Amino acid sequence: MRTAIIFSALLVMISSTVFASTLDGYDRAKLADENYRLANGDSAMKEAANDPELAAVMKKYLYADIVKQAKINQTERKLIEIVVLTTNQNHKFLSRVAGEALNLGVKPLEIREALYHVAPYIGFPKVFEALDVVNEVFTAHGIKLPLEDQGTTTDTDRFEKGLAFQVGAYGDRINQMRDSTPDYQKHLQDNLSAFCFGDTYTRGTLDYKMREMLTMAVIGTLGTGEPQYKSHVAGTLAAGATKEEVIGIITVMNPYIGFPRTLNALRIANEVFDSMK
């Protein structure tokens, strides 16, 4: 009873105080309906059948607040959603978001390349399971498979091109790291250069900035690689993204990863911002 009285008193105090909010100035329900319809047509949100309240909260958060707040373009937003859902293995949501992406004009190759790009970070099994889902969506949209090849390296030059890309992007500290690696571990550094950068970063369709954005989103979703996450926040900025776009990536991640990982990602991003002043 005492707790209820205290809570009621706090509500009275809050209601009598005027707070500025970024959520003011737009009709959330109307904007959510408009954006959902653009992406899904007249199809109903399946979650609303049995859980209409939570579905309504999610719809306004995803399709109104996040769309309005994230300062990145539509293609970037959908590709980030796709790799975050792939990382989390949220395949039902992945199917819907892949369909939304196509409906909004994202190219099939862009979607496929986003998935191929994350294999070095989350492993082949998760990517192939996601591809099963996305390829079903492609087939339903009349898209012929397989899509065109986008690789640019061979077995003879993948390491050389990958290392060159790596050093060009992250500087001489890559060579220093390689020099300090014990001989019995050097194969992992070679694999990093050849696979992550040679086989992957040099592929076509997606540019360097988009690939860094996707890498940042995936490592942030994993929530376990702070040094790597910090490096790729810096890499995303170096690839041409603004601080607002970096925060936009974290904003898009938020509904799918929750606030603990979101706030940790934000803390690390702010550390990178501060280090650049």
Side-chain angles (χ1 to χ4, degrees):
M1 183 69 177
R2 176 179 170 78
T3 301
I5 293 172
I6 293 173
F7 184 67
S8 296
L10 286 171
L11 285 177
V12 171
M13 291 174 59
I14 292 171
S15 64
S16 63
T17 305
V18 177
F19 292 101
S21 170
T22 59
L23 302 176
D24 295 337
Y26 63 98
D27 187 328
R28 296 178 71 233
K30 180 180 178 182
L31 182 60
D33 285 341
E34 290 172 353
N35 285 330
Y36 182 84
R37 193 173 298 110
L38 283 173
N40 293 281
D42 294 327
S43 63
M45 183 177 280
K46 294 179 180 178
E47 295 81 7
N50 295 321
D51 296 283
E53 285 185 293
L54 185 60
V57 171
M58 180 177 72
K59 184 177 182 180
K60 286 184 280 190
Y61 195 49
L62 281 174
Y63 295 93
D65 298 338
I66 300 300
V67 172
K68 185 174 177 62
Q69 294 163 356
K71 305 305 181 185
I72 56 178
N73 68 44
Q74 188 165 256
T75 294
E76 292 166 344
R77 176 166 52 84
K78 299 315 289 186
L79 294 182
I80 288 166
E81 288 180 336
I82 284 168
V83 298
V84 169
L85 291 167
T86 296
T87 303
N88 283 339
Q89 295 181 285
N90 301 139
H91 292 160
K92 289 183 179 180
F93 273 72
L94 175 61
S95 178
R96 178 162 70 207
V97 171
E100 290 178 348
L102 292 172
N103 292 338
L104 292 170
V106 182
K107 298 174 183 177
L109 269 176
E110 291 174 323
I111 296 172
R112 190 201 67 181
E113 283 303 309
L115 292 174
Y116 280 23
H117 181 80
V118 302
Y121 309 103
I122 62 174
F124 292 110
K126 284 184 179 179
V127 173
F128 273 109
E129 289 175 8
L131 284 166
D132 284 342
V133 173
V134 170
N135 285 337
E136 286 185 6
V137 176
F138 285 169
T139 300
H141 279 74
I143 297 165
K144 185 179 178 180
L145 299 173
L147 302 178
E148 307 94 285
D149 291 349
Q150 295 295 299
T152 63
T153 61
T154 66
D155 285 347
T156 58
D157 64 12
R158 59 193 286 269
F159 170 73
E160 179 185 351
K161 288 184 177 180
L163 181 58
F165 189 102
Q166 200 177 4
V167 173
Y170 302 104
D172 191 56
R173 64 189 177 93
I174 299 300
N175 289 322
Q176 295 171 7
M177 178 180 66
R178 289 178 57 81
D179 290 342
S180 64
T181 300
D183 287 345
Y184 69 96
Q185 298 177 20
K186 285 188 182 298
H187 64 282
L188 291 173
Q189 293 296 334
D190 290 346
N191 289 344
L192 175 65
S193 297
F195 172 36
C196 185
F197 292 94
D199 290 341
T200 306
Y201 262 86
T202 64
R203 292 178 62 81
T205 298
L206 302 181
D207 62 18
Y208 175 38
K209 177 184 173 184
M210 186 73 251
R211 290 185 181 277
E212 277 294 309
M213 294 173 81
L214 295 175
T215 302
M216 181 190 142
V218 168
I219 297 176
T221 298
L222 290 170
T224 55
E226 182 167 329
Q228 292 81 16
Y229 183 73
K230 183 176 289 189
S231 176
H232 283 285
V233 170
T236 301
L237 292 166
T242 64
K243 290 190 292 186
E244 289 76 14
E245 287 175 317
V246 167
I247 299 304
I249 297 167
I250 297 172
T251 302
V252 172
M253 292 159 55
N254 169 249
Y256 304 108
I257 68 172
F259 273 97
R261 276 186 286 174
T262 297
L263 295 177
N264 193 47
L266 181 61
R267 173 185 62 80
I268 297 169
N270 281 327
E271 289 177 2
V272 176
F273 297 160
D274 290 342
S275 71
M276 300 175 68
K277 290 180 181 179

